[in-house]
Amino acid sequence: MGEASLKYHYSIEEYLEIEKSSLERYEYHAGEIFAMAGGTLNHSLLSSNIGGSLRESIKRKGKSCRTYNSDAKIAVSDEKFVYSDTFVVCGKTETFPEMPHAAKNPILIVEVLSESTALYDREGKFQDYQKITTFREYILVSQDKVLVEVFYKPEDVSFLQYRSYRNLNETIEIKSLDIEVSLNDIYLDWEI
């Protein structure tokens, strides 16, 4: 996560104005705003690959779900808005009145890990995402090696199931959507 701005507290309206007039993207955390770090070419490629693979698998299954890229915000609450690399919403996309451009009902969230954000993605964001009532699955994609980690929360169960995939020939079972995505597709054209 980036650095907090100098002013201590921003309203949502001020935050939206800052984002609108800036080339940078910012996350909003209960009055504080944080500049998002820029990504690498591998980060962008992997994000695009997994988003496209998810979209195609969802389409093949005939599900009424939408895949969003890193331009869309997730509303963790009515006071916290963050960006992920990819997320999926099934059914109607819901928002808070304060932030009509941020989905509050993702079922699946994907983060491509980078050196500067890996800890935040694994801990802070992950804890926040678990507060979203519709949230069922979290996918972490390494850009430094072939490694995809999946955390799945079955309905009415308080613990998360963990699976990891390290071989390009493996296929990820995405239980929240009842689809599969191959590691080969995620890491297509990837360069280490």
Side-chain angles (χ1 to χ4, degrees):
M1 184 162 68
E3 296 295 319
S5 296
L6 294 178
K7 183 178 175 183
Y8 178 68
H9 186 81
Y10 294 86
S11 69
I12 291 174
E13 293 78 20
E14 289 173 314
Y15 161 66
L16 292 173
E17 277 302 312
I18 290 168
E19 271 222 328
K20 191 185 327 179
S21 62
S22 176
L23 296 176
E24 293 185 63
R25 294 183 310 158
Y26 296 89
E27 290 189 349
Y28 182 84
H29 298 234
E32 291 185 87
I33 60 172
F34 297 87
M36 300 305 298
T40 64
L41 290 174
N42 268 339
H43 188 280
S44 178
L45 175 75
L46 293 170
S47 296
S48 180
N49 284 352
I50 194 161
S53 295
L54 287 168
R55 188 172 32 263
E56 286 303 310
S57 293
I58 289 167
K59 184 178 168 183
R60 276 194 302 276
K61 280 281 192 166
K63 296 186 167 286
S64 63
C65 302
R66 283 170 301 296
T67 305
Y68 292 91
N69 68 19
S70 62
D71 290 334
K73 293 179 190 73
I74 294 174
V76 174
S77 71
D78 61 352
E79 291 191 330
K80 190 164 194 175
F81 309 101
V82 299
Y83 289 95
S84 70
D85 292 307
T86 301
F87 68 91
V88 176
V89 171
C90 294
K92 182 180 185 220
T93 302
E94 298 174 10
T95 63
F96 287 106
E98 302 85 356
M99 181 65 69
H101 305 297
K104 71 176 187 177
N105 60 325
I107 188 169
L108 168 73
I109 301 172
V110 179
E111 296 286 1
V112 175
L113 300 176
S114 62
E115 195 173 312
S116 63
T117 64
L119 185 61
Y120 176 51
D121 290 340
R122 285 185 177 284
E123 293 181 7
K125 267 189 169 177
F126 190 21
Q127 289 174 8
D128 286 337
Y129 291 154
Q130 291 177 67
K131 296 173 188 170
I132 300 170
T133 57
T134 57
F135 174 74
R136 290 289 171 265
E137 204 151 15
Y138 193 43
I139 298 176
L140 299 174
V141 179
S142 174
Q143 64 174 311
D144 300 325
K145 59 188 169 199
V146 175
L147 173 62
V148 175
E149 297 171 277
V150 180
F151 299 86
Y152 173 66
K153 182 183 179 243
E155 288 190 44
D156 302 323
V157 176
S158 61
F159 62 90
L160 293 165
Q161 298 173 355
Y162 173 82
R163 301 176 319 278
S164 65
Y165 302 84
R166 300 170 190 273
N167 185 318
L168 287 174
N169 296 323
E170 289 183 280
T171 299
I172 301 169
E173 178 187 8
I174 301 175
K175 294 181 178 183
S176 62
L177 300 170
D178 189 29
I179 62 172
E180 294 182 340
V181 174
S182 82
L183 256 68
N184 203 38
D185 288 343
I186 293 171
Y187 284 94
L188 182 67
D189 297 327
W190 169 70
E191 298 174 354
I192 186 150

